[in-house]
């Protein structure tokens, strides 16, 4: 741990020379084993990080760019008001549903169903798994993620210390995190692929709504690498919105009840 006792030095290191000193921790479970490292939230600083930021800025970086989605927001807010009037006791759920509906339409041009929507359920499941996967200290692989450089030549167990924990086989005692990570990676893959495939089908049929993904795909020659960037920048937008609102609802549950009163 490095403690900086000077605000000026901290500012120079983290702002003026941020490209050298600023980065994000590597999370073995959520990032490497599940795959969230490809999303903006866990991506290390670099060219791809800057590309995703630019794509998202083009979508909502100014008042004028956001304005084109005002109709979507109005429609969903009217629906939200009707839900609250019909069932005020479920205010927290109404907020989640409305926020998810807005971000889904902005990202993919998909209109969320009133109940049991497959994309919403998939997003909720994957974001919940992400929350567990990023819990500090929950998995030994995040406590001891890197190769140990300690020489233990007198012990027969030195090979264990030289092998990163995340590479142990799934059947190894104590490696249940590998089986969980495989399951969560499958959920994440569905969350990335299914709505993206929906947009491609809508574009092919000529029925695609204006959205982040459709604007990047329509009438353009998109190779595999560009498609990868569009998928994961869209996922970053989609999951970021769902996760932020979900956290707000949980943290402010008592305030929401006061609001109801």
């Amino acid at each position: 741990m490095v403690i900086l006792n000077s605000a000026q030095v901290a500012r120079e290191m983290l702002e003026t020379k941020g490209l050298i000193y600023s980065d994000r921790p590597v999370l073995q479970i959520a990032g490497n084993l599940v795959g969230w490292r490809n999303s903006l939230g866990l991506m290390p600083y670099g060219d791809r990080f800057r590309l995703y930021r630019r794509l998202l800025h083009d979508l909502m970086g100014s008042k004028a760019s956001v304005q084109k989605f005002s109709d979507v927001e109005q429609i969903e807010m009217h629906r939200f008001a009707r839900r609250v009037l019909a069932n005020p006791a479920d205010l927290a759920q109404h907020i989640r549903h409305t926020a998810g509906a807005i971000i889904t339409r902005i990202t993919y041009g998909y209109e969320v169903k009133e109940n049991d929507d497959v994309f919403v359920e998939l997003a909720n499941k994957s974001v919940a798994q992400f929350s567990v996967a990023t819990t500090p200290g929950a998995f030994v692989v995040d406590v001891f993620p890197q190769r140990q450089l300690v020489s233990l030549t007198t012990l027969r167990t030195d090979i264990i210390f030289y092998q990163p924990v995340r590479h142990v086989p799934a059947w190894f005692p104590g490696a249940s995190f590998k089986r969980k990570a495989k399951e969560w990676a499958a959920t994440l893959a569905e969350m990335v692929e299914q709505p993206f495939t929906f947009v491609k089908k809508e574009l092919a049929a000529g029925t695609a709504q204006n959205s982040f993904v459709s604007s990047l795909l329509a009438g353009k020659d998109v190779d595999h690498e560009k498609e990868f960037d569009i998928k994961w920048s869209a996922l970053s937008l989609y999951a970021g919105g769902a996760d932020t609102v979900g956290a707000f609802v949980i943290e402010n549950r008592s305030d929401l009840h006061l609001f109801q009163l």
Side-chain angles (χ1 to χ4, degrees), residues 74-255:
Q74 267 195 334
I75 291 170
E76 293 300 337
M77 288 309 297
H78 289 161
R79 292 174 176 173
F80 167 73
R82 288 197 296 269
R83 292 187 198 103
V84 173
L85 285 172
N87 187 7
D90 288 338
L91 178 61
Q93 178 57 33
H94 299 326
I95 293 174
R96 288 194 193 94
H97 184 96
T98 301
I102 291 173
I103 197 66
T104 302
R105 291 187 70 167
I106 290 174
T107 308
Y108 300 107
Y110 173 79
E111 187 171 345
V112 169
K113 296 179 177 62
E114 194 64 31
N115 297 298
D116 302 324
D117 187 273
V118 62
F119 288 170
V120 171
E121 290 181 356
L122 187 58
N124 289 341
K125 181 179 179 182
S126 189
V127 169
Q129 291 172 349
F130 174 80
S131 179
V132 176
T134 53
T135 302
F139 300 96
V140 66
V141 68
D142 280 321
V143 178
F144 303 104
Q146 306 298 332
R147 293 170 70 103
Q148 301 295 317
L149 300 180
V150 180
S151 175
L152 300 174
T153 54
T154 59
L155 300 176
R156 297 294 298 172
T157 56
D158 57 343
I159 189 172
I160 296 176
F161 288 87
Y162 279 92
Q163 182 183 14
V165 176
R166 76 183 181 94
H167 292 297
V168 301
W171 52 262
F172 196 80
S176 61
F177 67 86
K178 294 290 290 284
R179 298 186 288 276
K180 287 183 179 178
K182 184 177 180 181
E183 175 189 341
W184 296 345
T187 305
L188 178 60
E190 290 181 20
M191 186 179 174
V192 173
E193 296 292 340
Q194 287 189 14
F196 183 81
T197 301
F198 164 81
V199 179
K200 292 182 71 174
K201 289 180 178 178
E202 291 291 297
L203 283 170
T207 56
Q209 300 295 313
N210 180 40
S211 69
F212 174 70
V213 174
S214 66
S215 66
L216 295 174
L217 289 177
K220 299 175 183 176
D221 184 19
V222 179
D223 59 23
H224 178 74
E225 184 174 355
K226 288 181 181 178
E227 187 171 284
F228 180 91
D229 291 335
I230 295 170
K231 284 180 184 178
W232 282 95
S233 57
L235 182 280
S236 302
L237 175 63
Y238 181 40
D243 186 44
T244 301
V245 173
F248 171 83
V249 171
I250 292 171
E251 292 297 326
N252 296 277
R253 189 176 298 274
S254 59
D255 293 337

Side-chain angles (χ1 to χ4, degrees), residues 8-74:
Q8 181 181 351
V9 173
R11 190 174 297 110
E12 289 177 358
M13 290 183 65
L14 300 178
E15 291 185 8
T16 309
K17 300 179 180 179
L19 290 177
I20 300 175
Y21 297 108
S22 298
D23 208 343
R24 293 170 172 184
V26 177
L27 302 182
Q28 297 297 332
I29 283 284
N32 288 330
L33 295 178
V34 177
W36 284 95
R37 68 183 179 278
N38 295 317
S39 71
L40 193 60
L42 294 188
M43 183 179 293
Y45 292 133
D47 291 340
R48 177 158 272 149
F49 179 88
R50 288 188 287 274
L51 171 62
Y52 287 16
R53 288 285 300 270
R54 180 174 59 79
L55 292 175
L56 296 178
H57 182 270
D58 290 345
L59 175 75
M60 55 177 60
S62 67
K63 186 176 180 179
S65 61
V66 174
Q67 192 67 31
K68 60 179 176 288
F69 297 111
S70 60
D71 290 345
V72 169
E73 294 172 349
Q74 267 195 334

